[in-house]
Amino acid sequence: MRGKTGRGGSGGCGSAVRLAGPVPGALAHRYAALPPPLEVALAALRLEALLGDPRDAANPYGLPALAAASAGSAASAGSASAGSAGSAGEGRAGRVVPLLAAAGLGQVRAADQRVRALRPLLRRDLALGHAAGMSGGSGTPPAARARGQVAESSPVPAVLLGPAALVAAAGSVLRHAALTVAGRGGGEPALRQWQPVLAAAFADLLACESLTCVALRRPAGPGAGLLGAVAGYVVPTVLADVLAQLGLVLAECGHGPAGTGGRMLAKLTRDLPLAGVDAAGAAHWQDRLARALPALAAEEPRAPHRGPAPALFRLTDPPAPTPAAVGEQGEGYIPDGHEPGRCAPGRPHPDGHGPGGDESGGDGPGGDSVVLSGLLRAGAVRADGADADCAALGAVARRLLTEQRALRRPCRTAGADPGAPAARALADRQALLWLAAAVLGVREAADEGRGLFLGGTHWVLLALSGIAGRLGVPLPGPVPDPRAPVWAELAGRVRHGVDCDVYATRLLW
């Protein structure tokens, strides 16, 4: 896919782009291991071509120019408020919106597919991509809109655009670090010590994107706010650790603040508040989760999920249609146990399903928590003893399921003081367990005998081991070390121009 378009010099111009290469029917399948609809692949390719070569210093949308603009804005703003900085970002976004229109992004209305089409911009600039994705809304600063208000012209929920943008931008930094280690590791053996670190960062990134993609596929409506709140808290929290590790690797590889990788990381860090994915943004959603814990704890299923993975987790399937009437709750809604018409815990709904436990992910209050908990239970019982990796994955899932059961009783009483440190700690632990469940669901859905990396056990075992470490839960006995095969996948991707995303998208540049 690389080199299949005219380079266009500095790029960033509004001229027509002619894409050569495979016939349209094969284009989407060559675009990614998990192919999008053809119109999405074409929109993403057009946008990436219009943005130009990211390494070109003369390109206004290249990484050198974007990093310099961000540093200049930060220096000139001084102690300016986030609101004024956000206004400046929106002004820059206004100049890139015509490129989005020319690429055809307006024709992509599904939230998860809009993010895929927008990813070429999100990879380059967190703040610019976030502001462009929110274009058309009110004059509310992006950081404020990211905490619950939606731009009317954007199909992407505001709470999820920030995490999606952060995942894409962090992937660019990871790719730069991995390319350095993979390229110089043969001649500099000391750099090989960072391969396991980058493998773990890759698994964490895939875990965060899995959760975000599932949340993006959730139809807007009552109960849809749980996945958004979990992503709004977990993604910036986990990726803060990942970015710290990447900073260490880059520094040890000689790419400090003055190097390209160091400038990319510094720019991303400065942009976090503008996208609502800094510590303050994460704390906002942690508080929302803490308040919802009693109602959500009452929804835990009594049996593991059975049958194929729910539609939310099948990332190549069309997402469920958005209900015609969303209601007053909006996309920031999280059940608190007092919704009109709410069924009592443990009582079936009139249609025969458990509370919110329908196949699409649950359309009742708290339904998403039922599906996620059921997937965690399923992961704990679906171990294949003939395969050491699958058996280890099942053992780790059982250990995490034990932790979730231990949280049930304290979560039921957490609502008495949701702002207390104990309640916030419970929200942190429960959110990490939901992240693990989302990872298991995405892996199960991708495991269809096609040999996809996403459907394998290595990255999931590494991601779940990382979650267990964050929880302080010891791993069950000797667990196979999956870091070597995960690093091999990452190194192969960066050498062959493939993104670090769940879809294994081929890069144009």
Side-chain angles (χ1 to χ4, degrees):
M1 188 68 67
R2 302 183 81 177
K4 295 293 184 182
T5 181
R7 298 179 73 87
S10 62
C13 61
S15 59
V17 176
R18 181 171 60 87
L19 293 171
V23 296
L27 178 60
H29 289 272
R30 291 193 61 181
Y31 177 69
L34 289 179
L38 177 60
E39 64 272 14
V40 177
L42 288 173
L45 285 169
R46 292 190 194 105
L47 178 59
E48 196 160 10
L50 287 166
L51 291 172
D53 189 344
R55 297 156 298 191
D56 185 354
N59 179 6
Y61 298 110
L63 294 175
L66 290 172
S70 176
S73 299
S76 62
S79 60
S81 65
S84 61
S87 299
E90 288 180 308
R92 293 170 58 219
R95 294 192 290 272
V96 80
V97 165
L99 299 185
L100 307 186
L105 265 73
Q107 301 174 19
V108 181
R109 297 303 302 171
D112 61 329
Q113 301 302 325
R114 171 67 73 89
V115 167
R116 288 192 75 171
L118 188 62
R119 191 174 176 99
L121 180 59
L122 301 178
R123 280 196 299 260
R124 301 184 186 208
D125 192 305
L126 171 62
L128 180 61
H130 181 268
M134 294 296 297
S135 62
S138 65
T140 310
R145 287 205 308 259
R147 299 190 179 106
Q149 301 181 33
V150 184
E152 295 178 358
S153 65
S154 174
V156 183
V159 62
L160 293 173
L161 183 56
L166 176 56
V167 166
S172 294
V173 181
L174 172 62
R175 199 165 56 251
H176 184 87
L179 192 58
T180 300
V181 172
R184 291 166 46 192
E188 302 179 46
L191 294 185
R192 296 176 194 167
Q193 65 179 311
W194 302 114
Q195 293 177 1
V197 176
L198 294 177
F202 183 32
D204 286 342
L205 196 70
L206 291 175
C208 289
E209 189 176 11
S210 296
L211 172 64
T212 304
C213 289
V214 171
L216 284 166
R217 293 171 54 78
R218 181 64 163 89
L226 172 62
L227 285 169
V230 174
Y233 170 66
V234 163
V235 173
T237 301
V238 171
L239 292 190
D241 294 337
V242 170
L243 294 177
Q245 292 292 324
L246 292 179
L248 177 62
V249 174
L250 289 169
E252 291 295 320
C253 293
H255 290 259
T260 301
R263 292 198 302 270
M264 292 169 60
L265 180 58
K267 179 190 182 311
L268 193 161
T269 303
R270 288 193 299 268
D271 288 348
L272 294 177
L274 303 181
V277 286
D278 58 345
H284 169 83
W285 293 110
Q286 183 185 23
D287 179 73
R288 296 291 297 274
L289 289 171
R291 295 177 185 278
L293 284 178
L296 296 173
E299 300 283 358
E300 185 180 352
R302 298 175 181 174
H305 174 82
R306 303 186 184 278
L312 285 180
F313 301 85
R314 299 197 290 268
L315 302 186
T316 56
D317 288 1
T322 301
V326 172
E328 294 295 327
Q329 290 92 343
E331 56 94 6
Y333 166 75
I334 302 175
D336 62 2
H338 303 287
E339 298 76 26
R342 179 183 179 85
C343 291
R347 292 178 56 190
H349 279 235
D351 62 359
H353 291 294
D358 66 327
E359 192 272 342
S360 68
D363 58 4
D368 293 328
S369 68
V370 173
V371 173
L372 290 171
S373 298
L375 286 169
L376 189 57
R377 287 172 176 264
V381 301
R382 290 181 181 174
D384 182 1
D387 186 306
D389 291 326
C390 286
L393 185 59
V396 175
R398 283 191 294 274
R399 186 60 57 89
L400 296 176
L401 179 60
T402 300
E403 173 67 15
Q404 187 181 56
R405 287 170 172 164
L407 295 181
R408 204 149 127 205
R409 179 172 294 177
C411 282
R412 284 177 174 172
T413 60
D417 187 5
R424 298 176 72 86
L426 286 171
D428 172 79
R429 301 183 75 80
Q430 184 61 72
L432 287 170
L433 292 168
W434 279 324
L435 173 64
V439 166
L440 289 167
V442 167
R443 181 258 172 182
E444 179 187 338
D447 183 20
E448 298 175 349
R450 292 181 291 171
L452 295 175
F453 176 74
L454 194 68
T457 58
H458 293 131
W459 76 272
V460 181
L461 183 56
L462 188 52
L464 263 59
S465 298
I467 291 171
R470 289 183 171 89
L471 291 168
V473 174
L475 294 177
V479 175
D481 189 348
R483 293 178 296 179
V486 174
W487 163 252
E489 171 73 14
L490 176 59
R493 287 194 185 193
V494 299
R495 287 182 178 127
H496 295 95
V498 178
D499 200 1
C500 303
D501 62 343
V502 294
Y503 307 105
T505 304
R506 296 184 182 274
L507 300 173
L508 191 62
W509 302 102

